Amino acid sequence: MTLNHKLLAIDEGRQRISLIDTTRPGAVWSRGLADFPLARDMQRLGPDRVLIGFERGFFELQISTGEVLASCDRWSDVTSVCRLDDGATLVAGYNLDGGGGINVLTLSGDLKLVRMARREGDYVRLMRRTAAGGYLLCMNDHILETDGALNAIRALRAPGFLHAWKAEQCADGTTLVSAGYGGFMARFDGQGELIATFGGVSEVPPEVAPFFYATFQQLDDGRLIVANWQGHGPDNGAKGRQLLEFDGAGRLLGGWSDPENISSLQGILIL
């Protein structure tokens, strides 16, 4: 199946972000990320605006042109960001307050620090809110669900989680997780029990070459789009299928790659 998507794509291997149409070769536009290293997280803010987190903070980009519209460069080891409906911005990462540990900071609309939550730990990747107002924190070999003060509620675990990248609650109360180097997707029930895994090396054709399942996005019809990152550096484009599409039951529908222009696809935002 040929994929038909328009998306923003972060190529970690070449440190670039591009606007991609999978039905045509090359990129609509592409720009380097030298000023915004380790860009990982993306959230659409409007028809033509996106929020992107990077190691030192976050910036806002015009989707149609790739122009940087605003930026906040303030910390080190930022891993995830989120804009709330009231205009506040959540910033997650390690040692953001200078005292060690994992932090989630809340900034007002004018970027003043108004709240800070902290817990012990030295590793976190993407962060997502829960329906109850807490957080899902990717903590390497497990996903930690917390309350709003980062107090632990439960841990979500599956054999093979290694640098688990993203966890997100679905409308039905289940939680989807990309397993990082595990190279599979996992689904948990509302109590944090593992329901199923899919997309692993034994369940997809050899040319897919699952290596590191990174950012994913679930579409309104239940389809799931997953970035299959293939390693650090500029020459990984031919190692496996870079973008995968699964149906709601976890069956692979198709894949896409542009090995000439993308090395290691890590962040995606389907438009």
Side-chain angles (χ1 to χ4, degrees):
M1 173 183 172
T2 301
L3 302 194
N4 182 8
H5 296 293
K6 193 173 184 180
L7 69 147
L8 284 174
I10 294 176
D11 179 355
E12 186 273 341
R14 295 180 181 173
Q15 283 295 290
R16 300 191 66 81
I17 184 169
S18 303
L19 178 60
I20 299 292
D21 182 341
T22 61
T23 65
R24 51 174 280 189
V28 178
W29 56 255
S30 185
R31 64 170 296 138
L33 291 169
D35 292 334
F36 306 104
L38 298 182
R40 294 185 173 110
D41 208 0
M42 291 192 283
Q43 177 189 359
R44 193 167 188 176
L45 299 180
D48 199 26
R49 201 176 185 104
V50 63
L51 177 72
I52 303 175
F54 74 107
E55 186 196 24
R56 301 192 305 266
F58 54 89
F59 62 103
E60 296 181 26
L61 201 70
Q62 187 172 45
I63 295 171
S64 58
T65 65
E67 178 187 357
V68 175
L69 303 173
S71 65
C72 178
D73 188 328
R74 192 179 296 181
W75 305 275
S76 179
D77 287 325
V78 171
T79 59
S80 194
V81 297
C82 176
R83 180 68 46 79
L84 303 182
D85 292 340
D86 63 2
T89 303
L90 301 178
V91 181
Y94 170 68
N95 193 32
L96 303 183
D97 64 354
I102 304 303
N103 299 119
V104 176
L105 312 180
T106 304
L107 306 182
S108 62
D110 57 359
L111 304 184
K112 294 179 180 178
L113 180 64
V114 295
R115 192 175 303 111
M116 179 177 63
R118 180 185 179 277
R119 65 170 294 110
E120 294 301 318
D122 59 6
Y123 183 96
V124 66
R125 285 301 180 252
L126 297 196
M127 169 273 296
R128 289 295 183 268
R129 295 292 301 274
T130 66
Y135 302 98
L136 292 170
L137 302 173
C138 293
M139 308 284 283
N140 191 10
D141 62 354
H142 67 284
I143 307 303
L144 185 67
E145 182 178 347
T146 76
D147 63 16
L150 296 188
N151 298 305
I153 296 174
R154 60 176 62 92
L156 284 61
R157 300 179 184 273
F161 275 2
L162 181 59
H163 291 194
W165 193 255
K166 178 185 175 182
E168 188 165 80
Q169 281 190 346
C170 304
D172 63 1
T174 63
T175 297
L176 278 168
V177 180
S178 51
Y181 282 111
F184 62 88
M185 295 295 301
R187 188 183 295 273
F188 296 83
D189 67 17
Q191 288 70 51
E193 297 298 321
L194 181 65
I195 300 172
T197 64
F198 59 92
V201 65
S202 65
E203 301 170 296
V204 296
E207 60 268 20
V208 171
F211 184 70
F212 185 109
Y213 282 7
T215 309
F216 63 86
Q217 185 172 337
Q218 188 166 40
L219 306 184
D220 291 341
D221 61 6
R223 287 178 295 155
L224 189 70
I225 316 301
V226 181
N228 180 24
W229 181 83
Q230 290 292 324
H232 298 295
D235 301 315
N236 298 298
K239 290 182 177 179
R241 302 299 274 173
Q242 296 167 332
L243 192 70
L244 307 176
E245 181 174 317
F246 298 90
D247 68 13
R251 293 182 293 260
L252 182 67
L253 298 176
W256 171 91
S257 289
D258 185 357
E260 296 299 318
N261 295 292
I262 295 177
S263 173
S264 298
L265 187 62
Q266 185 182 77
I268 59 171
L269 181 66
I270 305 297
L271 303 172

